[in-house]
Amino acid sequence: MSNLDLRPSPTTCGGREEVSAAPVREFLQPRTVPLGGSTVVRRLLPNLGRRMVGAWCFVDNYGPDDIADEPGMQVPPHPHMGLQTVSWLHQGSVLHRDSLGSLQTIRPRELGLMTSGNAISHSEESPRTHARWLHGAQLWVALPDAYRHREPTFEHHPGLPTFQGGGVTGTLILGELDGAASPGTVHTPLVGADLALDPGADARLPVQPDFEYAVLTMEGTSEVDGVRLPPGSMLYLGCGRRELPLRADVASSLLLLGGEPFEEKLVMWWNFVGRSGEEIVAARQDWMSGNRFGSVHGYDGDRLEAPELPATPLKARGRVR
Ligand code: MN
């Protein structure tokens, strides 16, 4: 998915200033962002005062939307730099095309993982003949400096490992949790897991004290560390936990996102993650002039134009030590 804000604001993030070393329960309100047509997404990250959770730097949640008489998701070719995109669906399917030549339908609970390296472009669309409901999340993971200039790759993992206990079934999207490990490639210590809670679920999930965590509710209303979370909301949990209490009276599902606090300072703008304003400006220029990001074949429509840059220069904030 692309950031389709017509005037995206730059975000500086990374470093430890925002990271809570102790457990906290910080409720994050979503911001509604139009995504073309009738589709709107709920943006949870970046959020006011909370821009990253580990290397997770962007979280959009959408649906369930009735797209029976709609084209559904139609995101034209657009570029990425310095990040991985994770497509995660509960209902519906998305057809992914990229400048490597990948053509892949991603279905519910399958991992579509695109690692941009220095440059890739892709499109995402609901297939012409599609299911009635579309429900999912689009997540970005920032790449550390040592990996962000590598060649782009695309991975599709249809069969992900699961674990069970206390009425909770977990599916590993990325990283490891409770003895299960995702085959998806990661470049910093992090975890992403889909947690399905049965009615009456009561579990204590083993987590790592050196990771910070957040949970996003996809369906139903569950209690995370005693906090009731309605669908579409996110709770930031900080670091310092060894277990995470989960309860549900009704069938519910959550996305758990966590990781080691991301130390490097970043500049995020539109679909790019860089280390300086100059890098972002150069990436935008390369996309607009048709360089570096390759081309996506087979998408029925024009590619996305980059928005105008903000008037103020983009700067990564220095690390506070
Ligand atoms: Mn995208």
Side-chain angles (χ1 to χ4, degrees):
M1 189 170 295
S2 171
N3 184 346
L4 290 179
D5 262 3
L6 291 175
R7 295 213 159 269
S9 23
T11 303
T12 55
C13 47
R16 288 222 166 230
E17 298 98 277
E18 285 184 358
V19 175
S20 176
V24 290
R25 294 177 295 183
E26 186 182 301
F27 190 81
L28 301 180
Q29 291 283 0
R31 183 164 69 92
T32 302
V33 180
L35 201 66
S38 56
T39 314
V40 294
V41 298
R42 294 175 292 277
R43 183 150 305 155
L44 283 314
L45 283 185
N47 205 306
L48 211 60
R50 178 65 51 203
R51 287 167 285 197
M52 294 182 82
V53 177
W56 299 97
C57 60
F58 185 92
V59 175
D60 269 357
N61 174 221
Y62 54 88
D65 290 327
D66 183 347
I67 59 165
D69 302 316
E70 308 266 350
M73 182 186 292
Q74 296 296 325
V75 184
H78 60 276
H80 284 295
M81 167 181 88
L83 57 86
Q84 294 177 292
T85 64
V86 174
S87 304
W88 191 250
L89 288 162
H90 274 195
Q91 293 179 86
S93 60
V94 169
L95 181 60
H96 164 98
R97 304 173 194 267
D98 66 37
S99 52
L100 301 170
S102 314
L103 176 64
Q104 181 66 56
T105 302
I106 300 162
R107 297 184 173 83
R109 294 185 166 77
E110 298 180 352
L111 171 61
L113 177 65
M114 188 178 78
T115 304
S116 75
N118 191 42
I120 197 167
S121 55
H122 73 150
S123 63
E124 291 160 293
E125 61 199 291
S126 297
R128 198 153 297 199
T129 305
H130 54 248
R132 177 171 184 178
W133 296 98
L134 180 64
H135 184 205
Q138 172 76 13
L139 315 161
W140 294 357
V141 175
L143 288 170
D145 196 48
Y147 291 92
R148 70 191 185 102
H149 299 293
R150 298 214 179 172
E151 290 300 305
T153 58
F154 177 75
E155 298 170 43
H156 176 237
H157 298 288
L160 295 170
T162 60
F163 61 87
Q164 276 189 314
V168 175
T169 302
T171 303
L172 264 292
I173 303 170
L174 286 178
E176 298 179 22
L177 189 67
D178 204 13
S182 164
T185 305
V186 292
H187 300 288
T188 52
L190 62 83
V191 68
D194 188 289
L195 306 173
L197 282 66
D198 295 334
D202 192 351
R204 303 182 84 82
L205 199 67
V207 294
Q208 291 181 228
D210 56 334
F211 276 20
E212 56 178 340
Y213 290 95
V215 287
L216 163 69
T217 302
M218 295 283 287
E219 282 136 0
T221 297
S222 53
E223 268 182 34
V224 177
D225 197 14
V227 179
R228 280 175 65 82
L229 283 182
S233 55
M234 192 179 232
L235 189 71
Y236 176 72
L237 295 158
C239 302
R241 292 168 189 273
R242 293 188 182 278
E243 51 181 26
L244 183 63
L246 302 172
R247 286 195 64 260
D249 296 326
V250 297
S252 313
S253 65
L254 301 166
L255 286 187
L256 175 75
L257 305 175
E260 259 183 19
F262 196 86
E263 296 277 359
E264 297 171 36
K265 282 290 181 180
L266 306 176
V267 183
M268 276 179 65
W269 179 80
W270 194 39
N271 294 313
F272 304 132
V273 174
R275 298 299 185 277
S276 69
E278 291 75 13
E279 281 183 15
I280 301 283
V281 170
R284 180 185 182 281
Q285 184 55 41
D286 282 343
W287 173 248
M288 294 301 279
S289 57
N291 296 327
R292 181 168 139 192
F293 292 95
S295 51
V296 178
H297 298 288
Y299 183 82
D300 185 15
D302 293 334
R303 52 182 232 151
L304 278 184
E305 298 287 301
E308 291 299 320
L309 285 160
T312 47
L314 306 169
K315 275 189 191 151
R317 276 195 229 150
R319 196 182 300 176
V320 176
R321 282 268 157 140

